[in-house]
Amino acid sequence: VHRKFVQTSSIQRSLSLVRWKVYAVDRSSVRNDAVDSPAKSLRRLLDSPGIHLGPACFDALSAKLVQTTGFDFCFTTGFGISASRLGLPDTGLISYGEMVDQGQQITGAVSIPVIGDGDNGYGNPMNVKRTVKGYIRAGFAGIILEDQVSPKACGHTKDRKVVSREEAVLRVKAAIDAREESGSDIVIVARTDSRQAVSFEESLWRANALSDAGADVVFIDALASKEEMKTFCKVSPSIPKMANMLEGGGKTPLLSPMELAEVGYKLVAYPLSLLGVSIRAMQDALTAIKGGRLPSPGSMPSFEELKQILGFDAYYEEELRYSSEATRPERQRNGESDSVRVVTPEIYDGYGRSRTWFRKLRIKITGRDGFEKLDVRIPAGFLEGITSIVPALGGINIKTLVDDASLSMAESQELLDFNDAMGDRIQVFLE
């Protein structure tokens, strides 16, 4: 019996050891996948058929919107990061530290692979190595490195200059060495600006040399015609090619994804879409506010939509997992819904005017061009909220006008009719 007990215990310990080793192997593989998943995901994308479109983001929110829209990957844009973070042009003013810090915020906000704009590596090949290692630690799946001198110039702008052929190749080799030293699989996208700085023939030579040096993807910026794009895509046919569709008008023709695929491209960047529409939307909103009104409801998401986009609901749901009985709100301890309860107040001012609550205010705004900008109705009881719709009404005692008008039994009465500072006609009716 003792011998059988010892044998059984030994078997159990052996089985436990086997299970622990299997668990350890599984956990190890999970950890390695988690570390390498951005680059691996990007490489799977490069190996998959078809062309892949990537908008360029400039902060964590824009990256999150790219992901929730359903894109498989995205780029970061030095143009956009310099604009949003510094309010300055992309002329080499932003530093490596600022770019990698912004990149870490971006990659931390999404699960899709992100290709980072590494500019010219911020110096010689030794600086390139540091840049690549920093981008790896920041969670990037890929990095774009160009052959411009320092300070660099923005693509599609004047006065671009490039380093020698030898240094351009050495930058790629330094990037590959940094990748190997880090035990990473980050995708190296080699960019040359020599098309505009030197000649089309020089850019083809460099594209071929950068491919031979080990770049995973090659990219000639600012090609000037569809024919040049076709010729470029025939260089080193086994290496994926990247296109840059500069919205708003650059040197490269704007082609549809189908046309780009026919030409031979694998990746397509859209560098300015998100930044451009954001700037225009903010300008329009500020113009509206300066004119004494809010942006039109259709031009912006509702507060509920904003909360959904930013993940408030997911946060609250996860928060419950870590709340104790003592910290949980009373309504949740009692099994009540977490929704907000709205209590409708009753309005009495001594004159029996509680009926005011049941009437509505109609607010109508007509632009100087004669087109209707706003036509909404709100309960007259919510007088405090009217200035949130039309700030120009902030200095007017709407309550007094409503109280006086409510004494009449007329179905509809005009309370106000005036032009604001922008020349728009504002009318308020009590219905």
Side-chain angles (χ1 to χ4, degrees):
V1 172
H2 175 71
R3 186 165 57 250
K4 286 183 178 181
F5 174 78
V6 171
Q7 290 173 342
T8 301
S9 299
S10 177
I11 292 172
Q12 289 174 337
R13 285 195 300 271
S14 298
L15 289 173
S16 297
L17 183 60
V18 169
R19 283 194 295 269
W20 182 87
K21 287 183 176 179
V22 170
Y23 172 77
V25 169
D26 288 343
R27 292 286 292 173
S28 176
S29 64
V30 168
R31 285 195 298 271
N32 289 336
D33 285 344
V35 171
D36 297 332
S37 60
K40 285 185 177 179
S41 296
L42 181 57
R43 288 186 180 277
R44 283 195 294 269
L45 202 65
L46 290 171
D47 291 337
S48 64
I51 193 167
H52 304 288
L53 314 180
C57 64
F58 49 88
D59 60 11
L61 177 58
S62 57
K64 198 169 186 176
L65 292 173
V66 171
Q67 176 173 293
T68 55
T69 306
F71 286 93
D72 296 321
F73 78 109
C74 68
F75 294 90
T76 64
T77 160
F79 186 103
I81 293 175
S82 182
S84 62
R85 184 167 177 134
L86 305 180
L88 293 173
D90 183 23
T91 52
L93 297 174
I94 196 163
S95 68
Y96 156 77
E98 291 165 318
M99 287 290 287
V100 78
D101 176 70
Q102 192 84 344
Q104 190 169 13
Q105 304 303 317
I106 289 170
T107 60
V110 297
S111 58
I112 59 174
V114 182
I115 299 176
D117 185 352
D119 291 325
N120 56 7
Y122 308 100
N124 63 20
M126 293 303 295
N127 293 99
V128 170
K129 290 187 71 173
R130 178 173 183 256
T131 297
V132 172
K133 291 179 179 180
Y135 274 49
I136 290 170
R137 288 192 298 270
F140 282 106
I143 181 172
I144 302 173
L145 294 167
E146 60 200 46
D147 58 358
Q148 286 197 54
V149 301
S150 295
K152 60 150 286 179
C154 173
H156 296 256
T157 60
K158 63 180 183 179
D159 297 331
R160 275 182 291 174
K161 298 177 182 178
V162 293
V163 297
S164 67
R165 289 179 171 183
E166 182 183 16
E167 184 170 349
V169 171
L170 286 174
R171 286 182 180 181
V172 172
K173 291 183 177 179
I176 294 171
D177 288 343
R179 177 175 65 190
E180 293 176 354
E181 292 170 10
S182 300
S184 170
D185 200 22
I186 191 171
V187 173
I188 307 297
V189 181
R191 161 180 160 174
T192 177
D193 288 71
S194 54
R195 168 62 187 91
Q196 298 298 322
V198 185
S199 67
F200 176 55
E201 291 71 22
E202 177 69 11
S203 68
L204 293 178
W205 189 96
R206 292 193 180 214
N208 188 67
L210 297 174
S211 300
D212 291 343
D216 300 298
V217 180
V218 288
F219 163 37
I220 298 179
D221 190 44
L223 290 172
S225 69
K226 187 174 181 179
E227 291 304 314
E228 288 188 359
M229 298 165 78
K230 287 181 178 179
T231 303
F232 162 53
C233 287
K234 294 176 182 177
V235 173
S236 302
S238 62
I239 304 299
K241 308 301 190 300
M242 172 182 154
N244 186 34
M245 294 289 97
L246 186 67
E247 312 90 321
K251 298 183 181 299
T252 303
L254 295 177
L255 304 182
S256 68
M258 183 177 296
E259 290 175 307
L260 290 168
E262 291 174 353
V263 169
Y265 285 101
K266 174 60 68 171
L267 300 180
V268 186
Y270 295 88
L272 298 182
S273 290
L274 297 187
L275 178 67
V277 298
S278 299
I279 290 174
R280 179 54 53 85
M282 287 189 284
Q283 287 175 329
D284 291 344
L286 291 169
T287 299
I289 294 171
K290 188 175 182 181
R293 62 182 184 276
L294 292 183
S296 62
S299 69
M300 60 183 292
S302 67
F303 184 53
E304 289 301 318
E305 290 172 319
L306 282 174
K307 290 191 294 182
Q308 180 65 30
I309 291 169
L310 296 175
F312 274 82
D313 292 341
Y315 175 86
Y316 293 143
E317 184 177 346
E318 185 177 4
E319 183 185 36
L320 288 176
R321 294 172 51 196
Y322 305 106
S323 61
S324 65
E325 188 68 20
T327 61
R328 192 172 299 133
E330 182 179 356
R331 63 180 182 278
Q332 294 171 359
R333 292 199 298 268
N334 296 334
E336 297 179 22
S337 170
D338 194 37
S339 60
V340 177
R341 292 178 294 175
V342 179
V343 179
T344 302
E346 295 182 2
I347 301 176
Y348 295 98
D349 61 4
Y351 293 91
R353 295 176 184 168
S354 60
R355 66 180 182 276
T356 301
W357 177 261
F358 301 101
R359 305 192 70 175
K360 291 183 179 180
L361 284 177
R362 180 186 178 189
I363 305 165
K364 185 177 180 181
I365 299 179
T366 306
R368 290 179 299 176
D369 53 8
F371 287 98
E372 182 181 285
K373 291 187 174 182
L374 183 69
D375 191 352
V376 297
R377 289 172 173 81
I378 65 170
F382 282 124
L383 297 179
E384 295 82 359
I386 193 170
T387 55
S388 67
I389 299 175
V390 186
L393 299 175
I396 301 173
N397 192 337
I398 300 294
K399 185 178 186 306
T400 299
L401 294 175
V402 169
D403 286 345
D404 292 341
S406 65
L407 295 175
S408 170
M409 298 303 294
E411 291 185 1
S412 179
Q413 301 170 69
E414 185 176 74
L415 303 182
L416 290 170
D417 187 349
F418 68 98
N419 292 335
D420 66 6
M422 298 297 294
D424 294 339
R425 183 184 181 185
I426 299 178
Q427 296 170 280
V428 180
F429 304 89
L430 180 65
E431 298 181 341

